[in-house]
């Protein structure tokens, strides 16, 4: 308690942290800009009913740094940032609130670009677009990148194939059991791809209607939400919440690999090390789920060149990302070092190199 911004362990040398208040709409928002070394900071906007502004600040700082790493590993010319709006997305959303948010983002003059995240929809972003051009993830128009979920799912799918090649010495997923937690936007598309490649799926979701639908079309077995950790699977695919790899689940998960779309899967970095020491291959979350942000980056490109959204560019970046993922697996084996540490090292080196370059150009 009483901790200040600069002392917080999550501060992590953020370039800027901006708090916004709008009296008329009640907007309370924090925009965190971790790094602009590689380009304008890009990261989603989360609307969440935080218990305190300290909790909101902690969340936005952690997420913002994560975006710097994700964007760097995907080799995008974008830095990392994130924003949070404090409030209940079910009861406190108004068009005016998002227009006020747009005005707030606009004052940053293009240092930060917002997009959808938990609690914020395409319609909300469209509202913010009325007061700022510094938002991405639009639904309509030639630049629009639309729903990123299919591209995210494709990246996770190809990563699963890369893992199958290394770990199980096979080019498809025949005979492998995959335990899927969450079959929403990304999980649903992913389930179709995994099933088509021959995997046997065991799945859960708290949304029973969606679960029944996805299970029926993929021939999957259904289990209760908490039972997913006990499934005798070859691969665990977390596609719902963060921090499901934690001291309580570690003893229950017997899969040889973890490959899923969820953000922040490791409750702490130490969990990644424990998985490594147990011989479990952990696919770093922000590497394998980078397809979504690549899709968003294509909208930024279109904006900057006054051109149109280019799916071929998305495909090029996505295949490069999967190559990077495979390099991480290779280095992990050769250097006998956990995959998440190698991913972090790659991201940090790329960000540092860009920062050096910027300094040189300024001199
Ligand atoms: P989503 O909300 O569409 O899907 C999440 C699903 O998980 C829902 O169906 C929900 O009912 C289910 N769920 C929630 N709690 C659960 C629980 N305790 N047990 C089982 N199921 C539970 O979200 P999404 O867009 O598919 O994203 C899934 C994950 O991937 C999130 O962690 C998200 O941050 C991450 N991610 C998504 C994208 C993207 O392109 N959408 C990109 C990168 C990362």
């Amino acid at each position: 308690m009483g901790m200040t911004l600069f002392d917080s362990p999550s501060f992590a040398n953020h370039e800027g942290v901006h708090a916004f208040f709008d009296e008329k709409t009640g907007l309370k928002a924090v925009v965190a800009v971790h790094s602009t070394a590689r380009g304008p900071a890009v990261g989603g906007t989360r609307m969440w009913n935080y218990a305190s502004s300290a909790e909101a600040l902690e969340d936005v700082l952690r997420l913002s740094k994560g975006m710097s790493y994700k964007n760097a590993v995907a080799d995008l010319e974008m830095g990392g940032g994130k924003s949070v709006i404090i409030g209940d997305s079910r009861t406190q959303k108004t068009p005016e609130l998002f227009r006020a948010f747009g005005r707030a983002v606009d004052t940053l003059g293009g240092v930060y670009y917002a997009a959808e995240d938990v609690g914020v929809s395409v319609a909300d972003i469209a509202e913010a677009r009325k007061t700022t051009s510094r938002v991405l993830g639009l639904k309509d128009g030639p630049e629009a990148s639309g729903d990123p979920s299919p591209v995210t799912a494709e990246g996770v799918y190809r990563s699963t194939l890369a893992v199958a090649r290394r770990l199980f010495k096979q080019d498809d997923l025949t005979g492998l059991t995959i335990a899927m937690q969450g079959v929403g936007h990304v999980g649903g598309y992913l389930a179709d791809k995994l099933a088509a490649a021959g995997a046997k799926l065991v799945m859960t979701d708290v949304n029973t209607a969606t679960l029944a639908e996805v299970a029926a079309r993929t021939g999957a077995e259904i289990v209760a939400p908490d039972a997913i950790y006990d499934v005798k699977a070859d691969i665990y695919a977390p596609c719902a919440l963060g921090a499901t790899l934690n001291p309580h689940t570690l003893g229950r998960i017997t899969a040889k690999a973890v490959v899923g779309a969820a953000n922040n899967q490791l409750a702490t970095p130490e969990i990644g090390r424990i998985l490594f020491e147990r011989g479990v291959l952990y696919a770093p979350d922000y590497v394998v789920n980078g397809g979504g942000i690549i899709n968003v980056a294509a909208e930024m490109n279109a904006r900057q060149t006054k051109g149109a959204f280019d799916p071929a560019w998305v495909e090029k970046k996505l295949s490069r990302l999967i190559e990077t993922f495979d390099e991480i697996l290779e280095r992990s084996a050769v250097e006998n070092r956990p995959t998440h540490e190698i991913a972090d090292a790659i991201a940090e080196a790329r960000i540092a190199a860009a920062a050096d370059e910027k300094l040189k150009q300024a001199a």
Side-chain angles (χ1 to χ4, degrees), residues 46 70 117-118 147-153 180-188 204-208 210-211 225-226 228-229 238-242 244 260-264 285 289-293:
R46 179 166 294 194
K70 187 187 289 206
D117 195 57
V118 177
D147 181 8
S149 307
V151 185
T152 305
M180 297 189 69
Q181 179 180 48
V183 288
H185 288 106
V186 179
T204 193
D205 197 295
V206 290
N207 182 333
T208 49
T210 306
L211 177 61
D226 187 60
I228 198 71
Y229 304 112
C239 299
L241 320 161
T244 65
N263 278 313
N264 303 315
D285 46 16
N289 73 17
I293 196 69

Side-chain angles (χ1 to χ4, degrees), residues 141-276:
E143 311 162 349
S145 57
D147 181 8
S149 307
V151 185
T152 305
E154 179 65 20
V156 176
Y157 167 63
R158 292 190 202 174
S159 303
T160 308
L161 288 178
V163 166
R165 270 193 292 275
R166 278 190 182 264
L167 218 51
F168 305 106
K169 314 281 175 239
Q170 57 185 75
D171 287 327
D172 66 4
L173 304 174
T174 307
L176 297 180
T177 300
I178 303 184
M180 297 189 69
Q181 179 180 48
V183 288
H185 288 106
V186 179
Y189 289 111
L190 178 62
D192 292 334
K193 292 170 192 285
L194 297 175
K200 177 184 179 301
L201 303 180
V202 182
M203 58 178 60
T204 193
D205 197 295
V206 290
N207 182 333
T208 49
T210 306
L211 177 61
E213 197 185 303
V214 179
R217 68 169 196 252
T218 56
E221 181 189 328
I222 289 176
V223 296
D226 187 60
I228 198 71
Y229 304 112
D230 304 314
V231 172
K232 295 278 167 285
D234 300 293
I235 298 173
Y236 166 54
C239 299
L241 320 161
T244 65
L245 298 169
N246 60 53
H248 307 287
T249 59
L250 268 197
R252 296 168 63 186
I253 296 170
T254 52
K256 288 274 171 295
V258 179
V259 194
N263 278 313
N264 303 315
Q265 293 170 26
L266 300 172
T268 61
E270 289 70 48
I271 300 283
R273 187 155 267 285
I274 297 170
L275 285 170
F276 177 72

Side-chain angles (χ1 to χ4, degrees), residues 46-83:
R46 179 166 294 194
M47 183 165 183
W48 193 258
N49 213 357
Y50 293 102
S52 66
S53 49
E55 198 186 282
L57 180 62
E58 195 63 23
D59 206 32
V60 78
L61 289 173
R62 197 176 50 84
L63 293 165
S64 157
K65 179 183 170 194
M67 287 310 300
S68 285
Y69 283 51
K70 187 187 289 206
N71 294 344
V73 163
D75 198 22
L76 301 172
E77 287 177 4
M78 305 190 318
K82 196 93 182 183
S83 51

